[in-house]
Structures are given as structure tokens and as C-alpha cells.
Amino acid sequence: MLPDDWQLTEDVDDFLSRAGDFLSSRPALHNTPLTDIEKLRTRAPQTRGPETPVFGRLESEGEVRAACYRTPRGRLGLTPLSAPQADHLAARLAALGETPADVIADHDTATAFADAWQRHTGAEPEPFWRTHLYRLGTLTPPSPHPGGRARTAGGADHEHVVRWCRAFCVDVGEQRSIDLIDAGSWAESRFGDRHFTLWEAPDGSPAAMAAATSLVGGVTRIDPVYTPAPLRGRGYAGAVTTAASRAALAAGATDVVLFTDPDNPTSNALYQRIGYVHVADFAGFRFAYRDSVASAAVG
């Protein structure tokens, strides 16, 4: 296999016409590429970011075997790759002068690419993200069930939702989203196109929320799930996640997925109790470039 087996394009529609079926063939595992690429396809060019996105597909014997994409802000997303495939992609991107800011993929793929990228460019990889991916099996409402009810968030809830999304980002250290929210760029944040479900306590006050991505390729991702600290431990997170998952299924999702923090045993146990099953582990690496590498890429 040669590096030229990777076909790269800036034309998202052409890319999807050739690789769309491949991405949809494993919707749970490919949920992030599916939703990220759809957002790039539908977002106006002037709002995308400083660079034109790039999309790639790995073809062998007339079939797409893997895919990649680089967002305008430098994030490289990958479907599962073998170590040789990751090395070939790294060689191709390095030859083109690409300087991705970071990479996210399943753990083995992200690690293989980070190692290959360091060999080809000297850029130092730094781990910044690791997570478990879960896929919904049989939805099982929590027991005991907390009091209250679920409802779809409406326009009157917008300020409340924004405030809770910001609080969620503070909890998980997601500074870029905090900056966008504080700048009034809600639509440009990763939450701007989400569909929110609220759980109301028996007195009618909002007690928790869960959001879902739009349906793409048969898959919906639940993200984020948030309960204010004073209300935690009462079952609201499980109830609102169940409600959001049920709404996704009713909307036609064949796969409903979510990511969890491996260091949070409470949330991992909760999602398993309501029917989510572990699929894979994912990871992310940031790249620190030497000045000479960055200058060569710009030149």
C-alpha cells in the first residue's frame, strides 16, 4: 500500500458521495466523523474558521477502507486505522505541509498516528483527551425513578441552557467552548445545533439537562449531560439521559451513543444501568511543533 492510496479533497460533497456509505456502515464507531463532517457541510464558509477543511479517503480494490478530515481549526479526525495506514497518512500530510493542531480517534489509531506524526515531523504529541464510547442497547429507565418529568427545551429556556452548558464546560475544562459562549458565539460552539431535553423536578424547576446531536447516518450522540452540583445524586441525570435517548429513538436513530470520562465511575455505572454498552476507547493528542517545522509548513 502506498501513501497515494489516500485521496484528499476540499470538496465535502464529492467526499461524501464516495465515502458516505463507508461512514454510515459503522455509525456508532464513526459517530464523530459523521456529525463533524455534516456540520462542515452545512455551515456557511465564512463561519467555518481560518482554513479550508480537508477530507480524505483510503481506497483499496475500489472500496473505501478508512477516512479522515481536518477541520478549519486544525483538528484531525480519523476512522480506525492500522499502524501502517496511519503512517502512510502521516507521510502524505507531512509532504503536503499540513500542521494539524491535534488528532482524535479510537485509542489505537490516535496513538499510532501521533507516533507516526512525530517520526515524520518531529512534532511532540501530548495526550489531552481520553474517553469511553458507549452505544445504547436496550433502554432501561432508572429505578427508583426520580420525581418530575422530562420536556423539550424551548426558546424560553435558551439562557438557562447556555448557562448550564458553560457550567458543564467549566467542570470538564473545555476552555474553547467557554470562550465562544462568553463572546456571544453560541451558534459557533459545539452546542449551537444540539437538541436539549430538560428534567423538571416535582416543583417544576429545571433539575438536569441532556442534549443530542442531529440525526446523521442513523446515529445520534447524547452530549452533554449536566446536573448542577446541589442537585446531583437524586437520579436526575439518569432520568434525563433516558428521556433524551428515547427521543432520539423516536426520531429514527438506529444507534444512540455517548462518551464518558473513564475517571468517573459514577457516570459509567449510570449509563450501563440504563442500557448503554461499551464499544471502544478514544483518545486525543495535541501536537507541539518546533519553529522550523511550522515555518516550513507556512512557506
Side-chain angles (χ1 to χ4, degrees), residues 256-270:
V256 184
V257 302
L258 53 77
F259 287 110
T260 69
D261 179 357
D263 294 327
N264 188 333
T266 299
S267 64
N268 280 268
L270 164 66

Side-chain angles (χ1 to χ4, degrees), residues 15-267:
F15 168 77
L16 287 173
S17 72
R18 300 170 185 272
D21 288 346
F22 164 76
L23 291 173
S24 297
S25 67
R26 304 179 73 183
L29 196 61
H30 297 166
N31 76 90
T32 300
L34 282 165
T35 54
D36 283 355
I37 293 169
E38 179 64 9
K39 185 178 290 188
L40 291 170
R41 186 186 71 81
T42 58
R43 183 170 290 180
Q46 64 269 24
T47 66
R48 289 177 180 170
E51 296 183 32
T52 302
V54 175
F55 309 92
R57 67 187 190 277
L58 177 65
E59 290 192 356
S60 176
E61 299 179 350
E63 292 189 18
V64 177
R65 308 291 185 179
C68 69
Y69 61 100
R70 194 261 297 141
T71 73
R73 299 190 181 278
R75 170 150 295 171
L76 183 65
L78 308 173
T79 62
L81 302 173
S82 67
Q85 289 170 341
D87 186 77
H88 293 149
L89 178 61
R92 179 71 184 279
L93 295 179
L96 293 173
E98 288 280 346
T99 54
D102 53 54
V103 63
I104 60 170
D106 66 276
H107 177 271
D108 291 349
T109 297
T111 302
F113 183 86
D115 291 343
W117 194 242
Q118 184 173 21
R119 289 195 301 272
H120 287 285
T121 68
E124 293 280 348
E126 175 191 359
F128 75 93
W129 182 65
R130 64 190 189 96
T131 186
H132 294 323
L133 172 66
Y134 284 85
R135 175 185 179 275
L136 181 61
T138 301
L139 187 61
T140 307
S143 180
H145 201 275
R149 68 182 185 97
R151 67 172 177 85
T152 301
D157 301 303
H158 179 69
E159 290 187 10
H160 201 105
V161 166
V162 172
R163 185 167 65 251
W164 275 5
C165 282
R166 190 187 189 283
F168 168 83
C169 292
V170 170
D171 283 353
V172 300
E174 197 173 306
Q175 188 60 46
R176 171 166 166 71
S177 291
I178 294 172
D179 293 342
L180 287 170
I181 291 171
D182 289 350
S185 300
W186 171 255
E188 302 309 309
S189 76
R190 70 185 184 88
F191 309 112
D193 60 348
R194 302 290 162 91
H195 309 281
F196 289 88
T197 298
L198 297 178
W199 187 266
E200 290 185 341
D203 65 2
S205 61
M209 78 174 181
T213 60
S214 295
L215 182 65
V216 182
V219 65
T220 294
R221 184 172 67 253
I222 304 299
D223 170 51
V225 176
Y226 179 75
T227 306
L231 299 177
R232 292 172 189 170
R234 305 184 189 186
Y236 295 139
V240 77
T241 303
T242 299
S245 302
R246 184 178 289 117
L249 293 172
T254 56
D255 288 88
V256 184
V257 302
L258 53 77
F259 287 110
T260 69
D261 179 357
D263 294 327
N264 188 333
T266 299
S267 64

